[in-house]
């Protein structure tokens, strides 16, 4: 129904006349209407029929709230203090318009929501409920409510944050995101829904159309129009909901919504599961023949769902979904509420575990799978029982008797195993008595083994001088060779020597050899029945050795096993617990910066509380915490932590040059970010010289630090010197670690690619960056590390003239940038993705999109970095370019002047970089354009 203001006024008067008449006389009165009034007859009949069907006349007694139908609104209409610009969309409840304030108080566009005119009971109450709910929700992934009210003509309205983005499914298709890149978007949705649940709000209408993704990869959850405040953990249907009808989107509704039963958080879990299924598999979970609403309702409540991997059309998606993601979606979409995830948080945690390569809580609920889990926990008794039972079954045949006998024998085997365990417990006391004797025997054996190495070395050499000239590496290799045939009669001593050799190889940064001996050490301890702190320590050391190899997927399982051993022993605060937490921090740096920081803080707290503080391990924990805090935007905290670590290490008699070099160069990089480039180069150069003297020029840490120093030298304006240093670092890392190294070689390649990109040498930068991304996609999928590589590739592709590909890469980088942070990233730490997006949009001549991205840039607070910050200079520079593209010369000159003033302040502090050249090019373009008016 579309009515202008005059018709609406006439309708109101006529309705009043009709209501004054007795019901039997109304039809003849309607038939007597003439002219314009007769045209309103059908509308009057519908309104009167609805009134007659209502259970009470309370609504009419209060008088109707006449709102002009949203569908009849026109661009330019005033609604309260807002002016309508264009309609964005229309739904069952109302229409949404792009609007702006007309009173001049704020220059901000909003999404203005207006209800349709309807006499359906409860519409106004429902609209007011949405306003109440949204006003209580303040979350970065939920569209904000700015204003609400009723205009002078009685029209209720709500002014919401205008989100310029695409529905989540369209965004993923447009940017051709992989399954691994789509899961972080779902995690953002889950964070928003979990936040709402924490405030007793259900969404009840989760679907792709209500989940927008901005160009910067930020999710915004919309439309709480049918949300209900929860009572406890569920919300039954109310008279309002029943009278107003079921306001839901059938394709994403939960079984309990279809049945009209009480709903709770599990209903949103189900709906998000449907969204996730469609997003990851590319199709919806239900297979319909007719496609009718009735068939869909029947499918939701009764049809068994296929695995997502079975119906996905894309081969890569099938492979990525198979296993953990299939299991997660299967659990989220259970028909029974009590079989689903208990909360959105629980669902999100499984997605996070999947991205991190950890074991997920969801499990395929098949008999075979449960039996495999049982067999894994009780290998020995089940193996014996199955063997005996199989023999009897074969002897008796496969009838019912054989099955019964087989089952009984399985039970007997389990009982025998339990009895054996009891006997083992009884022998524990005797074992304790033998420990002292074994320790003495082990010490003698270890000492004899080490002495034999030196004797063998002397016997191999023609002279004592040659024997003395044998390197530590040669002695170590000799010991590894001899161990293969030694100490088999003293397994404890053999395990100890394996641990020692692994540690020595680790100190020499021979990572694969160290990891190999650490694995053997762990397996020997397991075979010896060790299940205490010794095994936990070996697992922690193995995790450290694996960190520089291509087997990082083994790190978390090793640490989790060590953690369970310490938990079982009640060990919450030992030095080993502190070291374990530090290793967890190290591993999570490439999974979740927030978790890495938290693990680092926990490790530092445990280690600081020891009666005798292990300064070396404590310094490591502080360094790891600082490393994670830096990309989160917490620069001041990182500076303090690095300073504490360096001070601790300087007090050690045997100074650990490795950690001092790492901490000093990292602190220097922070000083660059805090606008102290000259002092940063001095600090990094001095630390590098000390490290070079102590560790040599082929130590991987000195090679990677040479590359990092080169980047700082370049930022200080010494480009030629920086490129020489960088080429030296690349040659050294390829010589020492090789092209396929997964740790040091990618670091050097990425630093060099960044410099070459800044110099415009795209053809040289491209293969370096491609090699880095190939490693990062394989070993750091879904990580902040991958995000940094992808944003560089996006800028490179942009400069090659491929804006669409650049947009896709930048969008994926922005998503991973936030996902890799794991929450807790400061707003100013997100400036880089916004600036990158603006550059790419400008390259595509999309000035409006660039300006929108620049509006997201946040000033750095003074305690983190002095103003102006380079981000602000770059923002003003790009803003000037955007206004120039739009031929707004006055605004372009103004923005350029702001950039120039800020750049002068930066240069006074010694900052250089590429911004001065960009500003000079812009000023030349402005000079060639018409002068500003």
């Amino acid at each position: 129904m579309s009515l202008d203001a005059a018709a609406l006024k006439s309708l109101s008067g006529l309705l009043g006349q009709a209501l004054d008449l007795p019901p039997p006389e109304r039809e003849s009165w309607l038939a007597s209407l003439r002219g314009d009034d007769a045209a309103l007859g059908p509308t009057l009949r519908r309104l009167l029929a609805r009134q007659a069907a209502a259970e009470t006349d309370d609504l009419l007694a209060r008088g109707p709230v006449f709102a002009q139908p949203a569908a009849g609104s026109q661009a330019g209409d005033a609604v309260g203090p807002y002016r309508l610009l264009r309609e964005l969309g229309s739904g069952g409840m109302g229409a949404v318009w792009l609007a702006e304030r007309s009173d001049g108080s704020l220059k901000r566009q909003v999404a203005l929501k207006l209800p349709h005119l309807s006499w359906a009971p409860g519409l106004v109450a429902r609209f007011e409920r949405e306003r109440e709910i949204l006003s209580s929700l303040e979350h970065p992934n939920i569209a904000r409510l700015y204003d609400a009210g009723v205009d002078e003509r009685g029209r209720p309205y709500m002014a919401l944050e205008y989100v310029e983005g695409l529905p989540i499914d369209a965004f993923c298709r447009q940017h051709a995101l992989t399954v691994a890149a789509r899961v972080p978007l779902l995690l953002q949705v889950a964070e928003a829904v979990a936040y709402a649940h924490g405030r007793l709000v259900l969404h009840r209408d989760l679907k792709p159309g209500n989940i927008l993704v901005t160009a910067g990869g930020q999710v915004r959850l919309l439309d709480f129009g049918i949300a209900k405040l929860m009572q406890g953990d569920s919300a039954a249907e109310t008279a309002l909901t029943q009278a107003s009808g079921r306001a839901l989107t059938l394709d994403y509704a939960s079984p309990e919504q279809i049945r009209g039963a009480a709903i709770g958080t599990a209903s949103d879990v189900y709906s998000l599961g449907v969204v996730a299924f469609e997003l990851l598999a590319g199709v919806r979970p239900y297979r319909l023949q007719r496609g009718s609403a009735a068939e869909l309702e029947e499918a939701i409540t009764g049809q068994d769902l296929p695995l997502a991997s079975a119906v996905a059309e894309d081969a890569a998606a099938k492979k990525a979904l198979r296993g953990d993601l299939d299991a997660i979606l299967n659990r989220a979409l259970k028909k029974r509420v009590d079989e689903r995830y208990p909360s959105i948080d629980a669902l999100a945690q499984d997605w996070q575990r999947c991205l991190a390569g950890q074991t997920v809580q969801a499990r395929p609920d098949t008999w075979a799978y449960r039996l495999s889990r049982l067999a894994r926990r009780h290998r020995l008794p089940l193996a014996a029982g199955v063997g005996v039972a199989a023999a009897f079954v074969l002897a008796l045949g496969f009838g019912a008797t054989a099955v019964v006998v087989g089952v009984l024998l399985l039970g007997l085997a389990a009982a025998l195993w339990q009895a054996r365990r009891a006997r083992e417990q009884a022998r524990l006391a005797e074992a304790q008595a033998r420990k002292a004797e074994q320790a003495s025997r082990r010490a003698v054996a270890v000492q004899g083994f080490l002495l034999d190495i030196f004797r063998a070395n002397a016997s191999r050499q023609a002279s004592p001088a040659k024997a003395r000239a044998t390197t530590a590496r040669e002695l170590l290799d000799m010991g590894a060779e001899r161990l293969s045939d030694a100490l088999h009669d003293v397994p404890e001593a053999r395990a100890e020597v394996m641990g020692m050799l692994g540690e020595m190889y680790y100190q020499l940064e021979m990572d694969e050899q160290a990891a190999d001996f650490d694995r053997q050490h762990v397996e020997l301890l397991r075979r010896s029945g060790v299940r205490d702190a010794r095994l936990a320590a070996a697992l922690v050391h193995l995790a450290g050795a694996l960190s520089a190899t291509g087997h990082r997927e083994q790190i978390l399982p090793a640490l989790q096993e060590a953690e369970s051993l310490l938990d079982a022993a009640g060990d919450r605060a030992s030095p080993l617990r502190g070291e374990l937490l530090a290793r967890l921090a190290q591993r999570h740096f490439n999974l979740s910066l927030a978790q890495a920081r938290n693990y680092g803080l926990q490790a530092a707290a445990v280690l600081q509380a020891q009666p005798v503080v292990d300064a070396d391990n404590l310094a490591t924990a502080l360094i790891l915490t600082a490393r994670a805090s830096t990309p989160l935007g917490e620069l001041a905290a990182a500076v303090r932590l690095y300073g504490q670590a360096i001070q601790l290490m300087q007090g050690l008699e045997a100074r650990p040059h490795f950690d001092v070099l790492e901490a000093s160069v990292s602190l220097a990089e922070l000083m660059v970010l805090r606008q102290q480039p000259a002092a940063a180069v001095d600090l990094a150069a001095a630390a590098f010289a000390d490290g070079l003297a102590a560790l040599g020029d082929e130590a991987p840490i000195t090679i990677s630090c040479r590359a990092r120093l080169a980047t700082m030298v370049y930022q200080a304006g010494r480009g030629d010197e920086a490129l020489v240093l960088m080429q030296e670092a690349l040659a050294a890392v390829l010589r020492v670690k090789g092209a396929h190294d997964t740790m040091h070689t990618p670091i050097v390649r990425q630093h060099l690619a960044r410099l070459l990109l800044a110099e415009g040498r795209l053809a040289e930068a491209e293969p370096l960056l491609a090699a880095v991304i190939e490693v990062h996609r394989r070993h750091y999928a879904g990580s902040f590390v991958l995000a940094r590589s992808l944003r560089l590739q996006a800028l490179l592709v942009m400069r090659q003239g491929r804006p669409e590909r650049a947009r896709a890469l930048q969008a994926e980088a922005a998503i991973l940038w936030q996902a890799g942070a794991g929450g807790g990233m400061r707003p100013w730490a997100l400036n880089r993705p916004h600036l990158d997006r603006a550059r790419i949009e400008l390259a595509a001549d999309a000035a409006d999109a660039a300006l929108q991205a620049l509006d997201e840039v946040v000033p750095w607070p003074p305690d983190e970095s002095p103003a102006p910050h380079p981000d602000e200079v770059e923002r003003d520079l790009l803003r000037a370019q955007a206004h120039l593209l739009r031929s707004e010369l006055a605004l372009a000159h103004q923005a350029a002047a702001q950039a120039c003033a800020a750049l002068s302040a930066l240069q006074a502090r010694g900052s250089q970089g590429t911004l001065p050249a960009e500003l000079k090019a812009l000023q030349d373009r402005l000079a060639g354009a018409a002068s500003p008016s």
Side-chain angles (χ1 to χ4, degrees):
M1 181 175 71
S2 177
L3 300 176
D4 58 22
L8 188 64
K9 183 176 180 180
S10 298
L11 179 65
S12 178
L14 290 170
L15 183 60
Q17 295 176 41
L19 292 174
D20 288 336
L21 296 171
E25 299 178 14
R26 291 174 183 171
E27 185 56 38
S28 60
W29 176 81
L30 285 168
S32 68
L33 295 177
R34 296 290 181 270
D36 292 338
D37 290 348
L40 297 174
T43 301
L44 286 166
R45 282 189 176 87
R46 286 197 297 274
L47 295 176
L48 290 169
R50 290 182 182 178
Q51 184 274 340
E55 292 182 357
T56 72
D57 61 358
D58 178 65
L59 181 61
L60 294 178
R62 289 185 287 107
V65 178
F66 278 101
Q68 180 177 335
S73 300
Q74 303 292 328
D77 285 357
V79 178
Y82 298 94
R83 182 174 66 254
L84 302 183
L85 299 178
R86 60 183 171 86
E87 186 173 346
L88 298 173
S90 181
M93 179 179 173
V96 181
W97 283 76
L98 179 66
E100 62 182 6
R101 288 191 73 101
S102 56
D103 58 4
S105 63
L106 282 174
K107 293 183 179 179
R108 176 168 60 197
Q109 291 186 336
V110 300
L112 202 70
K113 195 165 189 179
L114 305 172
H116 293 312
L117 176 63
S118 173
W119 282 84
L123 175 64
V124 174
R126 177 181 289 174
F127 194 79
E128 290 175 348
R129 173 175 292 278
E130 181 176 11
R131 181 173 63 193
E132 172 193 349
I133 289 171
L134 276 177
S135 65
S136 70
L137 302 179
E138 295 182 5
H139 188 274
N141 296 120
I142 296 177
R144 294 187 294 273
L145 174 67
Y146 291 136
D147 189 15
V150 178
D151 73 357
E152 63 279 0
R153 287 185 281 177
R155 293 184 295 185
Y157 63 83
M158 285 190 299
L160 304 170
E161 175 187 4
Y162 170 53
V163 180
E164 188 166 345
L166 292 172
I168 190 169
D169 53 345
F171 180 90
C172 291
R173 286 194 300 270
Q174 184 181 94
H175 294 93
L177 295 184
T178 63
V179 168
R182 297 180 186 212
V183 173
L185 289 176
L186 291 168
L187 282 171
Q188 290 189 51
V189 181
E191 284 184 17
V193 178
Y195 170 86
H197 287 181
R199 281 145 186 80
L200 302 182
V201 176
L202 296 176
H203 190 282
R204 304 202 312 157
D205 194 24
L206 292 170
K207 58 185 178 182
N210 281 340
I211 305 167
L212 299 188
V213 185
T214 68
Q218 183 83 15
V219 163
R220 292 289 196 282
L221 186 57
L222 311 178
D223 201 356
F224 277 81
I226 63 168
K228 288 169 62 70
L229 291 175
M230 289 183 286
Q231 297 176 351
D233 61 353
S234 66
E237 293 295 326
T238 64
L240 166 63
T241 307
Q242 292 165 356
S244 302
R246 286 186 302 172
L248 51 82
T249 305
L250 194 58
D251 296 277
Y252 304 91
S254 65
E256 57 270 25
Q257 282 179 291
I258 298 296
R259 294 191 296 266
I263 63 172
T265 56
S267 184
D268 279 348
V269 168
Y270 186 93
S271 297
L272 183 53
V274 178
V275 172
F277 193 108
E278 180 178 0
L279 197 66
L280 301 179
V283 295
R284 290 179 185 165
Y286 298 105
R287 294 166 292 181
L288 306 179
Q289 299 298 321
R290 302 184 305 275
S292 66
E295 184 187 11
L296 178 58
E297 288 196 15
E298 182 180 346
I300 292 171
T301 55
Q303 187 182 105
D304 290 333
L305 293 180
L307 292 176
S309 61
V311 297
E313 298 175 355
D314 181 72
K318 282 181 177 289
K319 182 178 179 181
L321 287 164
R322 197 171 292 124
D324 285 348
L325 286 174
D326 268 341
I328 292 170
L329 293 173
N330 181 44
R331 183 172 178 185
L333 293 173
K334 290 293 186 186
K335 305 294 183 189
R336 288 174 48 130
V337 169
D338 58 355
E339 292 179 347
R340 291 179 212 149
Y341 287 99
S343 68
I344 288 286
D345 271 334
L347 170 60
Q349 286 170 19
D350 250 6
W351 275 330
Q352 288 172 332
R353 292 187 189 98
C354 180
L355 287 177
Q358 300 179 32
T359 302
V360 299
Q361 295 300 311
R363 289 291 184 271
D365 51 0
T366 64
W367 176 86
Y369 187 84
R370 288 197 297 270
L371 182 59
S372 72
R373 297 298 96 189
L374 177 65
R376 189 172 182 176
R377 288 195 300 270
H378 304 299
R379 291 183 181 89
L380 295 178
L382 279 178
V386 168
V388 175
F392 272 83
V393 169
L394 289 172
L396 296 173
F398 288 91
T401 302
V403 173
V404 171
V405 171
V407 171
L408 289 173
L409 287 171
L410 281 173
L412 176 60
L416 290 172
W417 176 69
Q418 293 289 348
R420 190 183 69 180
R421 286 198 66 186
R423 289 195 301 272
E424 289 174 353
Q425 293 293 327
R427 287 198 295 267
L428 281 178
E430 182 182 351
Q432 291 291 337
R434 290 199 303 267
K435 276 188 177 181
E437 179 184 351
Q438 290 173 346
S440 176
R441 185 183 177 202
R442 182 174 69 248
V444 171
V446 170
Q447 182 182 14
F449 177 82
L450 296 176
L451 288 172
D452 282 346
I453 294 175
F454 287 98
R455 293 191 188 103
N457 172 51
S459 66
R460 289 184 182 183
Q461 310 303 329
S463 70
K466 287 186 178 180
R468 289 194 297 270
T470 304
T471 65
R473 164 68 190 278
E474 290 168 336
L475 284 174
L476 189 56
D477 290 343
M478 193 181 303
E481 179 185 343
R482 289 180 63 81
L483 185 61
S484 62
D485 297 319
L487 300 178
H488 288 287
D489 56 333
V490 193
E492 298 89 351
R494 183 175 173 80
E496 185 172 339
V497 170
M498 281 182 176
M500 292 169 57
L501 293 176
E503 173 65 23
M504 291 175 185
Y505 276 119
Y506 180 75
Q507 292 298 331
L508 291 176
E509 298 189 53
M510 300 175 65
D511 307 302
E512 294 291 349
Q513 293 91 331
D516 185 51
F517 271 99
D518 283 339
R519 284 193 198 94
Q520 294 182 55
H521 185 200
V522 167
E523 288 307 315
L524 186 53
L525 289 174
R526 286 178 178 147
R527 289 198 302 271
S528 301
V530 175
R531 293 293 184 272
D532 54 23
R534 289 173 293 168
L535 178 57
L539 288 162
V540 170
H541 200 277
L542 171 61
L546 289 167
S547 63
T549 71
H551 308 288
R552 291 182 183 83
E553 75 284 353
Q554 300 173 16
I555 295 175
L556 275 178
L559 293 175
Q560 288 165 346
E561 184 180 352
E563 189 174 24
S564 66
L565 288 168
L566 295 184
D567 288 346
D571 179 350
R572 300 287 178 181
S574 69
L576 181 56
R577 171 69 73 168
E579 188 178 353
L580 167 67
L581 290 167
R583 289 295 181 197
L584 285 167
Q586 182 183 33
R587 178 56 181 148
H588 280 84
F589 183 81
N590 296 319
L591 303 174
S592 165
L593 294 171
Q595 284 185 305
R597 178 194 55 194
N598 293 341
Y599 277 126
L601 289 171
Q602 292 174 47
V606 169
L607 293 168
Q608 283 172 328
Q610 300 304 314
V612 179
V613 175
D614 182 342
D616 197 356
N617 277 332
L618 176 55
T620 299
L622 294 171
I623 291 171
L624 291 168
T625 309
R627 282 184 63 202
S629 299
T630 300
L632 291 173
E634 299 170 352
L635 305 191
V639 167
R640 174 177 51 80
L641 291 165
Y642 279 129
Q644 291 175 359
I646 293 171
Q647 185 177 8
L648 273 169
M649 288 183 291
Q650 287 174 340
L652 297 177
E653 292 183 6
R655 186 177 176 186
H657 296 282
F658 180 101
D659 287 334
V660 170
L661 179 56
E662 168 63 30
S664 299
V665 172
S666 297
L667 180 57
E669 289 171 331
L670 270 174
M671 292 168 69
V672 172
L673 294 177
R674 289 167 64 87
Q675 318 307 312
Q676 301 168 296
V681 170
D682 291 343
L683 173 61
F688 176 70
D690 287 347
L692 197 62
L695 302 170
D697 61 356
E698 294 205 342
I701 182 65
T702 60
I703 295 172
S704 60
C705 283
R706 186 192 295 269
R708 294 161 68 187
L709 171 61
T711 297
M712 286 181 266
V713 169
Y714 186 86
Q715 291 166 330
R718 293 145 54 185
D720 292 342
E721 180 184 348
L723 285 168
V724 170
L725 280 169
M726 198 68 81
Q727 294 290 357
E728 291 174 351
L730 181 63
V733 80
L734 292 175
R735 182 175 64 253
V736 173
K737 299 299 293 184
H740 301 294
D741 169 58
T742 62
M743 186 174 185
H744 298 281
T745 302
I747 290 173
V748 176
R749 280 174 166 163
Q750 181 156 316
H751 277 280
L752 177 55
R754 184 182 292 113
L755 263 61
L756 293 171
L757 180 60
E759 290 288 297
R761 294 159 62 174
L762 307 184
E764 297 172 72
E766 186 173 23
L768 291 169
L769 202 50
V772 171
I773 289 173
E774 193 275 329
V775 170
H776 287 175
R777 284 198 185 279
R778 188 169 70 250
H779 295 287
Y780 306 115
S783 72
F784 181 81
V785 172
L786 176 58
R788 287 194 296 197
S789 303
L790 289 175
R791 61 162 293 267
L792 282 179
Q793 190 177 41
L795 295 175
L796 186 148
V797 168
M798 172 201 76
R799 295 181 64 176
Q800 290 176 331
R802 296 187 285 160
E804 288 306 316
R805 177 58 179 156
R807 281 188 176 120
L809 287 167
Q810 193 278 329
E812 184 180 1
I815 293 166
L816 296 179
W817 195 277
Q818 296 178 71
M825 182 172 274
R826 303 299 186 183
W828 48 86
L830 289 167
N831 285 348
R832 192 67 263 162
H834 299 320
L835 291 167
D836 290 347
R837 180 158 57 96
R839 285 186 176 278
I840 291 168
E841 296 299 346
L842 283 174
D845 293 333
D848 290 346
L851 288 170
Q852 181 190 2
L854 294 172
D855 286 341
E856 301 290 331
V857 175
V858 176
W860 282 72
D863 58 333
E864 297 293 352
S865 181
H869 189 276
D871 288 354
E872 297 168 56
V873 181
E874 188 172 354
R875 178 200 61 197
D876 292 336
L877 173 64
L878 296 177
R879 185 169 282 154
Q881 293 176 14
H883 286 306
L884 179 60
L885 184 60
R886 294 173 64 174
S887 299
E888 298 168 333
L889 296 182
L891 292 174
H893 277 279
Q894 179 183 356
Q898 291 172 342
C900 188
L903 181 61
S904 296
L906 282 180
Q907 290 176 324
R909 296 198 289 267
S911 295
Q912 299 290 330
T914 58
L915 292 178
E918 286 191 62
L919 183 58
K920 176 65 168 60
L922 173 65
Q923 289 171 330
D924 290 343
R925 290 172 61 198
L926 285 171
S931 300
S933 57

